[in-house]
Amino acid sequence: MQINVAQLLKEPVGSSRKYQTDEIPDNDNINSIKGALVLVRTNRGLIVKGEMTASVVSLCSRCLKPITYQIDYEFEEEAFPSIDMSTGLSLPVEPESLVIDNTHTLDLSDMLVQYALLTIPIKPLCRPDCAGLCPQCGTNLNDSICQCSHKSADTQWLKLASLKKERGF
Ligand SMILES: [Zn+2]
Ligand SMILES: [Zn+2]
């Protein structure tokens, strides 16, 4: 998402603008990013705040089925102009910060993706109780039961945990 902020930079500190974003980012794992953005003029630049929802494509970490799920995230960043509005002279900018370019355009696409990637769960599941794949024959245990024995460490641990609960440990 690119926003021309020339007008907002001419306005007094505290002035703000709201935007809706609905974009398809250039990222294989993210289908779309939607949400509301607000830009607020500060004495140094702009505060950018957003509440986003991204649609993520991934594989279930247990059964490897392709899944699509939504993540919600928020962010707040400060963006700094790279040239002075009144004089047109270049201003020093920190390499890590969000920069408004010399045509007064603020490009938020990378930032929207970076924050989305930080929010993606490490082990997404197709459903909370996904049974996963049989470690011996590879059968998807959500769809069918195979002939192998399924005393995985997980279920053993759960049994132990419920036993402890029953006995009041
Ligand atoms: Zn699954
Ligand atoms: Zn099996």
Side-chain angles (χ1 to χ4, degrees), residues 64-82:
L64 307 180
K65 187 174 95 170
I67 49 173
T68 305
Y69 57 94
Q70 308 255 307
I71 52 168
D72 295 322
Y73 62 101
E74 294 178 12
F75 61 83
E76 181 168 336
E77 287 273 338
E78 191 163 10
F80 300 99
S82 56

Side-chain angles (χ1 to χ4, degrees), residues 73-131:
Y73 62 101
E74 294 178 12
F75 61 83
E76 181 168 336
E77 287 273 338
E78 191 163 10
F80 300 99
S82 56
I83 61 165
D84 189 295
M85 271 313 267
S86 47
T87 63
L89 295 173
S90 297
L91 296 170
V93 288
E94 288 172 44
E96 293 298 307
S97 66
L98 204 54
V99 173
I100 302 160
D101 74 11
N102 55 14
T103 63
H104 314 297
T105 302
L106 180 58
D107 187 345
L108 296 173
S109 298
D110 278 355
M111 194 201 64
L112 293 175
V113 169
Q114 290 310 316
Y115 273 92
L117 294 176
L118 287 174
T119 314
I120 289 178
I122 297 165
K123 292 190 171 179
L125 296 174
C126 60
R127 56 183 213 218
D129 61 344
C130 171

